[in-house]
Every structure is written in structure tokens, then in C-alpha cells.
Amino acid sequence: MILVLAGTSDARELALQIKDKGYDLLTTVVTDNAAKSMEEAGVPVQVGRLTADDIQQLIQDRAVQCVVDASHPFAEEASKNAMAGAQGAGVPYIRYERESLSSPGSEKLIVVEDYVQAAELAAEKRGVIMLTTGSKTLKTFTDRLLGLPDTTLVARMLPRLDNMQKCEELGVEQKNIVAMQGPFSKELNKALYEHYGVTLMITKESGKVGAFDEKVEAALEMGIETIVIGRPKIDYGTKFSDFESVLTQLKQVTGGN
């Protein structure tokens, strides 16, 4: 049995390839929408956030031979729990992370270390700010941006009820919410920037599969300043950015196919 932390489109594809190699596997995801995608692909899935203890117990209960962590590049807590759970159960841990995309050189692009830095820099710049980093850290930005003179915060996020409730609770006006399921093409990004009159865009460096390049390229081509939040710095140990290397490593640690 292989345990795969999934939830992204490339993680789903990796899980399918592991299954095709003949391994029994179980994927874990956080949302019902991600679970539906796995179920439609015929991949066993468990829904819900897992602590390190939960993962260790799951490894023991299901006789898991290896943990493959293919969670989102910014799912820092999930990765740390996976590493701790695997270590506690004494099984190998393999990290798959979509390749980091080199940021195009531009005076309009600024890379920062975290969400707080991004929010504070945006507060200095003001204008029409489009936030494309999701709902989890929305409060970091609303605390610093809402109510500032000459400043409008446009929040782009997944069309989920809990996201809309959070926007309402934090004071984001309905007219300034873009609730859409990505990924977005460069053309659609440009259309949204133009519609709202965006002067500053904030994103995180999720990688090519996360349409990072389309968001940034669209903004820079339109002369829109862009703040990019760098990935968390985590020592994963065994880490790969391509499926073939993961499968090869999986074969080595399990003595499998």
C-alpha cells in the first residue's frame, strides 16, 4: 500500500501512474471537490486534514510501505505532518513537487518571503490590488488593506460557500470577489485585470501547473506591478519534480514493480 497526499491536478496524475504500476494505493485530499476528481479517476481516496499522528496511525492500520507527498507547494503543514508521520512509523517518505518556475526578470516584479511582507508592501503601494492567493491567508491582507485611502482589494478564489462567508466576515465587498475555478489562461487573466483596473497583482509561486506563468506574464505585459510570494523553505530530504523519478524511487524503497 502506498499513501499519496494529493489534491492538485498533477498529484492526481501521479497517483494514476502509481496505480498503473500495480501498486495498491490510498490518496488523501482536503476538499470534497478534490475527492470527487479522484473518485472519477477510479483512485481510492480519503477526505480530511491529517495530523502527524493521524498519518502514522493510517500507515500502521493500512500497512503502508511508503508515503508519497504530492501536496501543494504551499501546503507546508501537510508536508511537515507527512514527514513526521512517515518517520514515526518507520517508512520511507518521497516528496513530489511541481517544478519551480523561474520568475521573469522585470522591474515590475517583486519577490517576497511571506504573506505578511506581501500585504505590507501592497499597503504601501495601494491602488486596485488583485489577490490570487486563496482564502486561507485572506485576513492577513484585509487587516492591512481594507479601509486604506485610494485602495480596492479584489479577491480571486475558488467558488466555495466557506470562501464567500469568509469574504463577508472580513469585509470584502461582493462586487470585488472573483469566484472562479482555475487554471486561468493568459487572455482571461488580462480580461480580469482590465475589467477591475488592476494596478497591483499578488500571487504565490505555485509552479507552471498552477498557472503561475500565465498570471504573471499577463500582468507584466500589461505593465501591472506584481508581488510574488516565494515557496516555503522546507528540507524534504528525498524530493523530485518529475513522475519518472518518483516511480523509480518508489520501486527502490518497496522492492516493487
Side-chain angles (χ1 to χ4, degrees):
M1 173 72 70
I2 308 301
L3 179 63
V4 182
L5 276 71
T8 62
S9 57
D10 47 341
R12 175 177 174 272
E13 179 59 32
L14 176 58
L16 285 170
Q17 292 200 23
I18 292 173
K19 180 184 177 185
D20 289 345
K21 288 293 184 180
Y23 294 99
D24 290 328
L25 80 158
L26 173 67
T27 61
T28 67
V29 298
V30 175
T31 67
D32 291 333
N33 188 58
K36 182 180 179 182
S37 176
M38 290 294 179
E39 289 168 351
E40 289 174 348
V43 177
V45 62
Q46 176 175 313
V47 186
R49 298 186 185 278
L50 299 173
T51 65
D53 288 341
D54 292 335
I55 292 173
Q56 182 173 339
Q57 189 63 52
L58 188 59
I59 291 169
Q60 294 167 345
D61 291 345
R62 302 296 292 269
V64 170
Q65 294 175 275
C66 182
V67 174
V68 177
D69 176 13
S71 58
H72 192 278
F74 279 80
E76 185 174 359
E77 183 178 355
S79 289
K80 288 181 177 179
N81 287 340
M83 285 188 282
Q87 183 178 26
V91 301
Y93 167 93
I94 301 172
R95 170 64 173 168
Y96 166 78
E97 186 171 287
R98 59 180 64 158
E99 188 174 359
S100 182
L101 196 69
S102 297
S103 301
S106 171
E107 61 181 14
K108 293 285 187 179
L109 187 145
I110 305 168
V111 179
V112 297
E113 292 184 359
D114 55 36
Y115 295 96
V116 172
Q117 282 189 15
E120 291 178 347
L121 181 57
E124 294 176 12
K125 292 182 175 295
R126 305 192 182 185
V128 179
I129 302 164
M130 178 168 282
L131 183 66
T132 68
T133 57
S135 64
K136 187 176 180 182
T137 57
L138 181 60
K139 190 174 188 298
T140 300
F141 294 92
T142 56
D143 283 351
R144 292 164 174 81
L145 297 175
L146 292 186
L148 285 178
D150 304 316
T151 302
T152 301
L153 179 63
V154 179
R156 193 173 94 182
M157 59 188 61
L158 291 171
R160 290 173 36 162
L161 179 60
D162 57 338
N163 286 347
M164 300 307 100
Q165 290 172 335
K166 179 175 282 189
C167 285
E168 183 177 3
E169 291 168 1
L170 295 176
V172 180
E173 294 186 68
Q174 184 173 309
K175 65 181 180 180
N176 293 328
I177 301 172
V178 181
M180 296 177 68
Q181 174 82 46
F184 298 78
S185 66
K186 186 191 293 188
E187 292 71 22
L188 181 51
N189 278 305
K190 285 185 174 181
L192 288 171
Y193 299 155
E194 183 176 4
H195 176 74
Y196 284 96
V198 174
T199 60
L200 177 67
M201 191 271 288
I202 304 174
T203 185
K204 52 190 180 184
E205 205 285 89
S206 300
K208 189 173 182 61
V209 178
F212 167 80
D213 51 348
E214 283 86 356
K215 278 189 285 189
V216 173
E217 287 174 10
L220 296 181
E221 286 179 12
M222 295 177 68
I224 296 170
E225 284 196 291
T226 301
I227 297 174
V228 177
I229 302 165
R231 290 184 182 182
K233 293 178 174 58
I234 301 175
D235 181 6
Y236 293 105
T238 305
K239 173 184 168 184
F240 303 103
S241 294
D242 64 283
F243 295 166
E244 191 59 38
S245 295
V246 173
L247 295 171
T248 299
Q249 182 71 11
L250 197 55
K251 179 180 179 180
Q252 291 178 359
V253 301
T254 64
N257 305 296

